[in-house]
Amino acid sequence: MLIEMPRHTEIFGSVKIHELQRVLKIDSGGFENPRAKDISFEEIKNVLRHFAIIIPVKNEKIHLLDGVLRAIPFDCSVIVVSNSGRETPDAYKMEQEVVKNLHDLTQQEMLIIHQKDPELGFAFYDAGYDHLLDKDGLVRDGKAEGMIIGMLLAKSLGKDFIGFTDADNYIPGSVREDVIDYAAGFCMSESPYSMVRLHWRYKPKVVEDKLYFKKWGRVSETTNKYLNLLISTHTGFETRVVVTGNAGEHALTTKLTDLLSYSTGYSIEPYHFVYLFDRFGVGAETITNTDADAANAGIEIFQIETLNPHIHEEKGEEHVNSMMLGSLQTVYHSKLCIDYVKSKVLEELGDILEWEKPKENIIMPPIREIDAHKFVKMLESNAETFARFERGAIE
Ligand code: GDD
Ligand code: MG
């Protein structure tokens, strides 16, 4: 791959945020120059072999999930965490069949589990981690909750890199690119604590019968603005470095997944920034040994602009508003959010909030204390919805 060098890197305490980098060629020829970095396919493959890709899914069209599954490079392990309906027709059963059939045909490693499996809830309870459980002992609804389940499965496989891709993607080729872009980010990284976040080149919409190649989503533009303000108001220099505040498509080193706390539902992605700013930004004090190690190494964030556009399901106004609220709530409750930024957030949320104060999102602490092997052993023996299809022997 040939990828632009970041023009600038914003250093905020121990957090290094690289400016957006464009993919120049997905498959390149080894021509290095001062403006672009060439990463060989061998290097990319070396990352893919240690990579798990998690697909959170809730009632998506089965054709879309099928396309996404088929697009993920073979060397990665695939983990599907579903919160789809189980009433007849049982959508989860269909998802499981698609996964099993694809495994039969390809021998790629694939795991699947249902978020509401009672034994999964019990495994969390047993591990002393009840932060994502409802009163009924089941895991709550929420994309972040599904992602945490997936991260534990990935850790049990001993993976070094963990990435996410949504199931409602209409362009399988873009999913393949996403995974390769993640791997390219990790090839460039100098810290074991790093994260790659994707920015869509375009998000096409139909406007008056024509495709319009939109650049910015409604929520992301606003989220980015406020995340940047958290930085600017502490450094005294305006910045626009953050362009991936809501990036659902992102990947982390497993070491970084152990460091982070997670915010519920769709607020998980902006909260990555808020958590890192609060904990490792300017003026932050490191508390634990793990934190100190990360602070010394630095936490590196890559933002990559995909070559492919992103076409996914439109989920309506209410969904967009709740995503906006979840995102800005994380900013509002950041330690770095000064009164000026708070008042701006309140103004922004005016119509959505109707004079209420922004609530604090549910925050789930790091998962590093959970013994992932023991956790998955429990699932293997008890959880009815859990299936693991191992990678077959290939000549
Ligand atoms: N396991 C699980 N549990 N998956 C879920 C749940 C849940 O409760 N809710 C949603 N999902 C799945 C969806 O089926 C989809 O595959 C993925 O999570 C993303 O959800 P969407 O509903 O499609 O969200 P979106 O497209 O509006 O937003 C996406 O992009 C944003 C930025 O562009 C998400 O990835 C956001 O998190 C992201 O900020
Ligand atoms: Mg979507």
Side-chain angles (χ1 to χ4, degrees):
M1 166 173 296
L2 194 67
I3 186 162
E4 257 181 0
M5 292 293 203
R7 265 166 305 179
H8 170 72
T9 298
E10 185 85 35
I11 298 181
F12 188 59
S14 322
V15 187
K16 295 180 193 160
I17 309 170
H18 299 294
E19 246 185 26
L20 189 68
Q21 293 169 262
R22 287 186 309 156
V23 171
L24 297 170
K25 288 285 287 179
I26 295 180
D27 191 346
S28 62
F31 174 62
E32 282 238 316
N33 62 78
R35 285 190 302 158
K37 178 159 178 66
D38 184 87
I39 302 163
S40 73
F41 206 67
E42 258 325 296
E43 283 174 84
I44 303 244
K45 273 241 178 200
N46 279 338
V47 172
L48 298 184
R49 289 189 194 105
H50 305 277
F51 212 147
I53 299 293
I54 296 168
I55 311 172
V57 57
K58 185 174 180 186
N59 299 324
E60 303 296 352
K61 293 182 182 126
I62 198 75
H63 278 88
L64 299 183
L65 175 66
D66 179 61
V68 169
L69 286 167
R70 285 160 63 182
I72 295 172
F74 176 81
D75 287 305
C76 307
S77 299
V78 178
I79 299 173
V80 179
V81 183
S82 169
N83 193 13
S84 299
R86 302 222 53 197
E87 58 287 349
T88 22
D90 185 342
Y92 181 67
K93 212 167 155 215
M94 258 188 328
E95 291 161 359
Q96 224 177 11
E97 265 163 33
V98 168
V99 168
K100 181 178 182 313
N101 286 338
L102 190 60
H103 174 268
D104 285 348
L105 291 169
T106 64
Q107 296 300 304
Q108 181 168 14
E109 179 159 63
M110 298 191 181
L111 285 70
I112 181 165
I113 192 160
H114 197 277
Q115 192 159 335
K116 298 288 178 183
D117 192 314
E119 293 298 331
L120 180 57
F122 186 72
F124 275 111
Y125 173 80
D126 186 68
Y129 191 94
D130 59 1
H131 310 280
L132 42 55
L133 298 182
D134 250 335
K135 286 194 196 76
D136 57 9
L138 302 181
V139 173
R140 264 195 313 271
D141 288 334
K143 183 189 164 213
E145 284 70 3
M147 288 163 64
I148 290 182
I149 298 165
M151 286 190 262
L152 284 166
L153 297 182
K155 284 183 70 178
S156 81
L157 299 176
K159 297 290 169 176
D160 298 323
F161 307 99
I162 303 179
F164 302 92
T165 187
D166 289 351
D168 61 335
N169 191 322
Y170 276 87
I171 320 270
S174 82
V175 175
R176 176 178 183 274
E177 186 206 328
D178 296 349
V179 176
I180 293 180
D181 293 352
Y182 297 153
F186 293 126
C187 290
M188 291 183 286
S189 170
E190 285 170 5
S191 165
Y193 300 91
S194 61
M195 161 150 63
V196 185
R197 304 171 71 96
L198 302 188
H199 173 75
W200 306 115
R201 185 150 175 233
Y202 297 110
K203 266 188 154 179
K205 308 269 171 215
V206 177
V207 179
E208 294 182 358
D209 308 346
K210 287 205 182 76
L211 263 190
Y212 175 69
F213 285 77
K214 226 169 159 293
K215 200 110 185 117
W216 295 98
R218 278 185 294 171
V219 179
S220 57
E221 208 170 352
T222 312
T223 308
N224 294 336
K225 177 168 133 190
Y226 289 99
L227 288 171
N228 282 319
L229 260 180
L230 289 181
I231 303 177
S232 306
T233 49
H234 283 80
T235 57
F237 291 88
E238 213 164 70
T239 179
R240 289 191 188 163
V241 69
V242 175
V243 290
T244 55
N246 288 98
E249 266 63 21
H250 66 276
L252 311 120
T253 57
T254 305
K255 279 192 102 145
L256 184 54
T257 66
D258 273 344
L259 198 70
L260 293 175
S261 291
Y262 299 97
S263 184
T264 187
Y266 295 106
S267 57
I268 181 166
E269 285 98 8
Y271 188 70
H272 286 152
F273 279 112
V274 170
Y275 181 80
L276 290 174
F277 293 170
D278 281 357
R279 196 107 180 177
F280 297 96
V282 166
E285 283 170 35
T286 51
I287 303 160
T288 63
N289 286 342
T290 340
D291 282 3
D293 184 43
N296 287 334
I299 296 142
E300 226 178 330
I301 302 177
F302 293 88
Q303 307 184 97
I304 298 180
E305 184 186 83
T306 61
L307 191 57
N308 277 282
H310 186 57
I311 304 183
H312 70 142
E313 291 283 49
E314 288 301 329
K315 301 209 167 132
E317 181 91 6
E318 206 178 306
H319 169 74
V320 169
N321 283 346
S322 84
M323 199 178 283
M324 173 86 89
L325 183 61
S327 298
L328 294 194
Q329 279 175 173
T330 65
V331 172
Y332 187 90
H333 290 285
S334 162
K335 279 189 215 152
L336 302 184
C337 192
I338 58 172
D339 287 346
Y340 166 73
V341 181
K342 280 196 168 144
S343 69
K344 287 278 167 199
V345 170
L346 289 178
E347 241 173 69
E348 191 79 54
L349 286 174
D351 292 343
I352 302 177
L353 270 179
E354 293 169 346
W355 305 112
E356 277 178 56
K357 271 247 149 98
K359 290 200 193 74
E360 241 175 289
N361 293 323
I362 298 175
I363 304 295
M364 298 168 278
I367 54 172
R368 63 172 169 262
E369 304 299 339
I370 304 179
D371 179 339
H373 293 286
K374 186 168 166 234
F375 184 85
V376 171
K377 273 236 159 65
M378 276 184 86
L379 299 180
E380 269 169 352
S381 23
N382 303 324
E384 176 248 328
T385 69
F386 180 53
R388 176 175 175 190
F389 305 102
E390 285 179 38
R391 179 165 169 165
I394 291 160
E395 296 272 312

